[in-house]
Amino acid sequence: QEVAGREAFEELIAEDSRVEPRDWMPADYRKSLTRQMSQHAHSEIIGMQPEANWITRAPSLKRKSILMAKVQDEAGHGLYLYSATETLGTSRDELTDQLIYGSAKYSSIFNYPARSWADMGAIGWLVDGAAIVNQVPLCRASYAPYGRAMVRICKEESFHQRQGWEILYELSHGSPAQKQMAQDAVDRFYAPALMMFGPPDADSPNSQQSMAWNIKRFSNDELRQRFVGMIVEQAEALGLTLPDPELRFDEESGQWIHQDLDWDEFMRVIKGGGPCNAQRMARRRDAHEDGAWVREAAAAYARDRADEMDE
Ligand code: 3HC
């Protein structure tokens, strides 16, 4: 049965078809997808914190309602992705425990502080912009529930990126102090946003297998390149500069050359040593523990309803 299963799986991958939860799949395919999809879900949930910090400080009701809508979207993205991950056989409770009490990763970018209102613009434009570049190819991931979750998420990310752009555009065309605030936010988020795409291809242990399984469609460096090319023109339109003296387009290679990124900082941040890791985890743990009564009440209600149905 395993031989037949493996053959069928390899045929699905070879013809670039989709693998559904009920299909046979290699244990390491299941394991790597659980790893990536759960970390993606954790990123969405932890990513709510920097922005939630500014909802009560938004400069207008319009901005407040837009930011609330965005943060709510992120919670929904986490829900889609935890649900998609559960189809691989790990329960949401276990995934949550891996994040809160274990050592599960989430995107490095959320371990940096959101110091000013302009950071809401830089996060929307750069972080959600980078997420779009990384997530559009994932709509075609071989694992069907992941690809399906990405389609809806990408649609909402476009709104996230646009609202971030608009915040920066208003500030950059406002008073000199507002323009400086926008420039400062871009200065702080530019390099960490480039590192969202993962380590250089030569140092990416998962890439080769992930690409062979049609999960990862483009390499970390390829997508980073694509993102840099996108934001160079947008930064000009914003009237802001990217804090990268090395940034130039190399005609010969057709590649954007950017500054070296600090991969020691990256490794430190993903190992828990970033500016906000401890605060983000403490907040997530408190929210989970404070919410235990809601989960218990919902479970008790569901049991009562089930008993009633059995009577
Ligand atoms: N933050 C944290 N960890 C990262 C990372 C990052 N930015 N980039 C890479 N890593 C980790 C990997 O998870 C891997 O560790 P692991 O084996 O323990 O999982 C290790 O560093 C080596 O990286 P690889 O390149 O070998 O790993 P992958 O092949 O998995 O590629 C990835 C990394 C490109 C991030 C890939 O996992 C991916 O595409 N994930 C889905 C996208 C995602 O998670 N996006 C989160 C962005 S934030 C977000 O979406 C919220 C939005 O609203 C802004």
Side-chain angles (χ1 to χ4, degrees):
Q1 203 236 357
E2 174 161 338
V3 170
R6 184 171 293 281
E7 275 172 17
F9 172 82
E10 281 163 7
E11 203 174 308
L12 279 175
I13 298 297
E15 61 192 25
D16 204 357
S17 292
R18 301 281 219 169
V19 179
E20 292 291 348
R22 62 182 174 282
D23 292 332
W24 185 93
M25 63 186 81
D28 48 1
Y29 177 84
R30 184 186 302 276
K31 185 164 176 270
S32 189
L33 273 166
T34 302
R35 165 194 70 88
Q36 174 167 333
M37 290 166 67
S38 59
Q39 288 171 177
H40 198 159
H42 298 331
S43 304
E44 302 283 2
I45 298 300
I46 298 291
M48 292 164 71
Q49 290 188 32
E51 289 168 326
N53 194 22
W54 284 91
I55 288 175
T56 54
R57 302 181 175 101
S60 69
L61 184 57
K62 172 192 164 193
R63 284 288 160 214
K64 181 176 186 155
S65 53
I66 291 173
L67 187 58
M68 277 200 301
K70 184 199 188 288
V71 172
Q72 284 168 345
D73 279 353
E74 307 298 9
H77 296 177
L79 178 61
Y80 306 151
L81 286 162
Y82 281 128
S83 301
T85 310
E86 284 187 300
T87 66
L88 289 162
T90 306
S91 75
R92 181 159 178 193
D93 285 347
E94 193 176 332
L95 297 170
T96 300
D97 287 352
Q98 286 171 3
L99 172 66
I100 296 181
Y101 306 111
S103 58
K105 293 186 173 77
Y106 56 88
S107 193
S108 47
I109 190 71
F110 296 123
N111 291 309
Y112 292 85
R115 293 198 189 289
S116 78
W117 170 254
D119 288 26
M120 295 304 101
I123 288 175
W125 176 50
L126 290 172
V127 175
D128 290 79
I132 291 170
V133 171
N134 163 279
Q135 289 171 178
V136 166
L138 285 172
C139 293
R140 293 188 295 117
S142 58
Y143 189 57
Y146 195 24
R148 286 192 287 263
M150 280 296 112
V151 171
R152 172 139 176 212
I153 287 175
C154 285
K155 287 192 177 87
E156 292 173 343
E157 291 296 356
S158 302
F159 145 61
H160 299 173
Q161 198 246 12
R162 290 293 310 152
Q163 63 86 38
W165 159 277
E166 198 190 31
I167 289 173
L168 289 180
Y169 190 87
E170 277 178 20
L171 292 171
S172 172
H173 293 77
S175 68
Q178 286 177 319
K179 177 160 185 157
Q180 185 49 50
M181 187 166 72
Q183 185 59 61
D184 169 59
V186 168
D187 290 351
R188 284 183 286 106
F189 277 91
Y190 169 75
L194 265 57
M195 291 197 261
M196 282 173 68
F197 291 94
D201 295 348
D203 303 322
S204 169
N206 294 293
S207 278
Q208 191 184 356
Q209 181 60 75
S210 187
M211 292 178 93
W213 279 329
N214 300 333
I215 298 165
K216 185 178 276 190
R217 295 282 178 176
F218 301 95
S219 79
N220 297 356
D221 288 332
E222 275 175 284
L223 290 182
R224 199 178 348 261
Q225 266 295 314
R226 191 175 296 180
F227 177 63
V228 171
M230 191 180 91
I231 58 175
V232 165
E233 288 165 44
Q234 291 179 2
E236 278 162 34
L238 279 171
L240 297 172
T241 56
L242 296 175
D244 185 346
E246 313 288 318
L247 192 57
R248 61 184 173 79
F249 187 70
D250 179 56
E251 293 294 342
E252 203 177 308
S253 65
Q255 298 278 304
W256 282 94
I257 309 297
H258 57 74
Q259 69 189 19
D260 289 340
L261 295 167
D262 184 343
W263 295 109
D264 292 339
E265 175 186 320
F266 174 79
M267 289 314 290
R268 195 169 55 249
V269 171
I270 69 172
K271 287 197 170 83
C276 296
N277 295 57
Q279 169 192 333
R280 301 290 186 233
M281 293 312 294
R283 188 86 173 271
R284 183 71 193 89
R285 192 176 304 121
D286 289 352
H288 184 66
E289 289 169 358
D290 291 350
W293 70 273
V294 176
R295 295 192 295 277
E296 284 152 22
Y301 177 77
R303 276 195 303 275
D304 289 354
R305 293 284 297 147
D307 292 351
E308 276 170 24
M309 305 284 273
D310 289 349
E311 281 162 12

